[in-house]
Amino acid sequence: MGRFWFLLVGGLVLLVMLLSPWAVPLREFDGTGYLLNPLGAINPKGLSLPEGLAFNWLGVAFGFWVLLVLAAGGALFLPNAETRARVLYILGGLGLAIFAVEAILFYQAIHAANEAAVAAGARRPPLRRFALSLGVYAGFFYALGLLLLARMQLPGGLAFLVRFRGVVVPIVSLLLAVVLGAMVVAILRPGLGTQGVEGLGLRELIAGKLDLVTYTFQILFSPILNLTGIFTSLGFATPLIFTGLAVAFGFRAGMFNIGAPGQLTMGAIFAMLAGVYLPFPSWLLLPSAILAAALGGALWGGLVGWLKARFGANEVINTIMMNYIAASVLLFLIAANEYRFFGQTVRLPFKAEGFEGRSEEIQEGARIPLMIHILAPDSTFSWALPLAVLAGLGVYYGLRRLELGRRLLFALGALVLGFVVGGFLPGFPVTISSALASQLLNGSFLIAVMALLFYNFYLFRTSAGYELRATGLAPKAAEYAGVNLRQKMVLAMLISGALAGLAATHYVLGAGMDGTYRLKTAIPSSVGFDGIAVALMGQNTPLGIFLSATLFGVLLAGGVSLNAQLGISNQIIQVLQALIILFIAVGGLLPRYFTDPLRAAQVETEAKAEQEARQARSAPAAGD
């Protein structure tokens, strides 16, 4: 039955290739494009290409894909599994080669046309907005599917997939969310270049819709293609890393912490109080303000943990209520200067002058510098950060014989020493564009990376972290083994709240909200709820949380461009986040052995037993 499903998928891939644009050599700012297709160009708006620009290879490439799909369908009916795998591997590699040739031919033709136009006296290249499109991408993903299918033909193929279920489930959920999001965009918006054009056939209308969907997601993921976009994406991702870690830490301990918005808010208040009013020298003020942010979040989370441990109060309800209280405390402090209590006027010193609800400016010594100033102060590349990272990693991995605590201590010392020494080494001048210089990615990103390392080492490399995870997985068994459950509940919420509170360093100490070093009532505490999506998609692992936060950061950065270019609301990002959570909740619609650890262990055990049986059968044959 699976073979016939595979044949159906191959037919759908060919149909998509036949109907969708393969490449767009010319596109207007409103999205209207000159669409290339093996059956002929689709150009409803009558755009013109430079003379001599031709793409005659499209029909030949489509013929190759037809032959490849037919060969793959036939290969699946071969009786020998190893032969099937070998043929599918060859076909998958051939498909990737065809995709590479298509990309090279397309971009070479574009660049040749632009160079010819400039040489002929044109003031600027005529083709500036061009890209491959859905038809070519369909072949690329089909080739990847063939490689995966080839691995599935070999012994232990299913166990191989199940072993990486922590990656498989998020990826499948993301793909399903993208498909449904694409359907939403296609239903709500007219095809690019088709609106107001009469007499279009069904082929043109379908191609316009498919081009709309493809271009929408190209814009959403476009920030990864340039340094400015990467900085913007990491700026959006930084607070998501903190809140994702906060939610994931609670999950690991069996606690559902959805109070990250309130903990972030209290962290912001504490960071503001320390950054504005502490009379410390500069070298002590910034660390104190960062610790104050963690302390504010820890107190707000720890209180919920204590209520849970002492009275059995539900942490979900309590964290929700604490969010509202934190928001009210923020408004009370900086929304107004004067309040009346029992007929008496009380004046608070926290709100700055003016109608806007904001605090006084953070002192210079408590400000976290922008990343561009850390990497290239005064437009000169600094070796401080690269050397610090290399020194820290080198010492950590070079002292593997030492116990973990000493390795971390020596690595931290090497990191600090590398940073200091690198600061004295002569750098080289770099050109920083105005767009890059205006990015609000700041040093709190480095704090987020350290928080990821702390999460990994504490939970997976220490006995206290093991006890915490045991408490989350089997509290009764952990208690029977001697774990103090009440203490672990309070500790888990303290650390979880501290991680959420550190997200405030990005907004208050690093000016990550609007470039001003102040606490404002408009601080986006809702990223605390987004941390739930980040933790779920990241499967509560440090690397997964970083990647999922970065993905959401890319989508948020791309959503701004999407709204500007196509007028599509960036609320589509929230739709995608909601769909991702939905599909992860149902395991990506995958079989249960991808979501149930017991079923997964059973699959891996059966695969191991089958491998041992094969080896046992082959041993006598080899002896004969």
Side-chain angles (χ1 to χ4, degrees), residues 532-549:
I532 299 175
V534 171
L536 288 174
M537 187 174 182
Q539 301 288 282
N540 299 326
T541 63
L543 180 59
I545 289 170
F546 175 79
L547 293 177
S548 58

Side-chain angles (χ1 to χ4, degrees), residues 429-453:
V430 293
T431 301
I432 301 175
S433 65
S434 58
L436 185 60
S438 63
Q439 297 304 309
L440 299 180
L441 175 66
N442 54 69
S444 61
F445 173 73
L446 302 178
I447 303 174
V449 172
M450 288 189 284
L452 285 165
L453 296 176

